[in-house]
Amino acid sequence: MPRISDTPRILVEDVHKHFKLRHTHSIKETFVAAMRRKQLTSEFQALDGVSFDIGEGEAVALMGFNGSGKSTMLKLISGVLRPDEGRILTRGRIAGLIEVGAGFHPDLSGRENVYLNAAILGMSKQETKEQFDSIVEFSEIEKFIDTEVKHYSSGMFLRLAFSVAIHTHVDILLIDEILSVGDEPFQKKCLARIRELHSQGKTLVVVSHDLNMVSDLCERGILLQDGKIRFDGPSKDAVERMRA
Ligand SMILES: Nc1ncnc2c1ncn2[C@@H]1O[C@H](COP(=O)(O)OP(=O)(O)OP(=O)(O)O)[C@@H](O)[C@H]1O
């Protein structure tokens, strides 16, 4: 679905993000390196002046090879990380499926985590209560819903996290490679649900190395290389550039 309105849902303006890389592993090494006046850390530019905007109802794939800055970009949009320079504005409720199980408390049961996660995503207790059966049914982990989530497999985490996210009233859904954790039938079910949300006008930003899947799901592709945008246009063309 193309953009529905001209007011962007996500605005990224000249964003820079760097990380400090440590070159020592222990206190002893740090001490020796400091005595020899060796550099203890160096700066790594993960994103280097990235700008784009994403309109309401767009589905955009962030593409690029390993280490190109895709996940960092998604974390910045979700607010998990802050840019060092530039700014990011978002409009509407965001649900980020970025790290499997992030936001889940290991000592709480699946049921308690559903309420906790839904509250984080802005749902009231009553709203969650009304959606609870449907959340659990979609996740297909009914049997384990009262088990502490520290005993869950990564696939079970994903099922519950994904199910909560798609049952909340979000405007923007951020998805990072997360579908690869689920088994094939669940992946298909999630994809069908994501397409449905897209057809309802939700904005999607997807990171995946499954180029066929993302170019099929998303009409636009932003190709990152060494923290810079190399291409922004039709996703099929972005894939061609990656494969060239
Ligand atoms: N917390 C961190 N500390 C130091 N370096 C980091 C940190 N997070 C990311 N980086 C570095 O930033 C670069 C971009 O990482 P990012 O995870 O955004 O890449 P990516 O495009 O998502 O890669 P992949 O396809 O492998 O998931 C990488 O070189 C990574 O090592």
Side-chain angles (χ1 to χ4, degrees):
M1 183 186 282
R3 311 165 67 121
I4 291 172
S5 92
D6 274 339
T7 320
R9 278 272 179 215
I10 302 167
L11 185 69
V12 175
E13 261 180 17
D14 196 23
V15 162
H16 294 253
K17 182 75 193 170
H18 63 256
F19 294 109
K20 261 200 173 71
L21 301 180
R22 276 179 48 196
H23 301 304
T24 52
H25 304 290
S26 63
I27 295 175
K28 188 178 159 194
E29 260 189 282
T30 307
F31 181 73
V32 172
M35 291 300 284
R36 293 183 177 159
R37 294 175 191 267
K38 268 193 181 168
Q39 212 182 358
L40 303 180
T41 59
S42 64
E43 297 260 303
F44 177 79
Q45 199 72 32
L47 290 172
D48 190 6
V50 172
S51 301
F52 58 83
D53 64 77
I54 297 179
E56 187 173 345
E58 270 196 289
V60 179
L62 288 182
M63 298 180 188
F65 294 112
N66 292 136
S68 54
K70 306 179 295 293
S71 302
T72 305
M73 192 64 249
L74 222 53
K75 284 180 189 159
L76 287 164
I77 297 172
S78 75
V80 172
L81 290 177
R82 283 172 181 275
D84 298 315
E85 282 173 55
R87 62 173 189 160
I88 295 176
L89 301 174
T90 58
R91 190 170 57 86
R93 276 200 214 179
I94 300 187
L97 285 160
I98 293 185
E99 274 165 37
V100 178
F104 273 59
H105 195 295
D107 292 326
L108 298 179
S109 67
R111 180 185 301 273
E112 290 162 328
N113 270 295
V114 167
Y115 278 92
L116 180 67
N117 244 254
I120 292 170
L121 293 173
M123 278 195 16
S124 70
K125 201 169 174 187
Q126 187 55 35
E127 277 177 310
T128 313
K129 214 171 174 177
E130 283 160 19
Q131 298 276 358
F132 187 80
D133 289 345
S134 166
I135 292 173
V136 178
E137 194 190 325
F138 188 95
S139 73
E140 299 171 23
I141 57 156
E142 289 94 339
K143 255 189 359 198
F144 304 95
I145 197 65
D146 288 308
T147 304
E148 292 168 356
V149 302
K150 64 182 167 202
H151 302 301
Y152 281 18
S153 67
S154 50
M156 288 162 72
F157 260 135
L158 164 77
R159 284 165 176 266
L160 205 55
F162 187 86
S163 193
V164 175
I166 58 162
H167 282 85
T168 53
H169 310 292
V170 297
D171 302 298
I172 302 167
L173 199 57
L174 310 174
I175 306 166
D176 189 357
E177 206 59 87
I178 188 162
L179 294 182
S180 56
V181 181
D183 53 35
E184 212 187 340
F186 192 69
Q187 278 184 21
K188 282 196 173 146
K189 189 164 127 174
C190 290
L191 265 175
R193 183 74 182 124
I194 291 171
R195 282 183 207 283
E196 202 180 308
L197 290 170
H198 183 34
S199 68
Q200 290 166 5
K202 311 284 184 208
T203 302
L204 307 179
V205 187
V206 185
V207 170
S208 172
H209 287 286
D210 184 343
L211 297 179
N212 293 331
M213 184 275 282
V214 279
S215 63
D216 197 37
L217 178 68
C218 304
E219 60 272 4
R220 177 176 163 198
I222 297 178
L223 179 57
L224 291 170
Q225 190 183 335
D226 300 329
K228 291 191 171 76
I229 294 186
R230 284 288 166 238
F231 178 81
D232 182 352
S235 56
K236 304 256 184 293
D237 296 349
V239 170
E240 262 179 39
R241 290 211 177 204
M242 266 193 87
R243 287 181 173 153

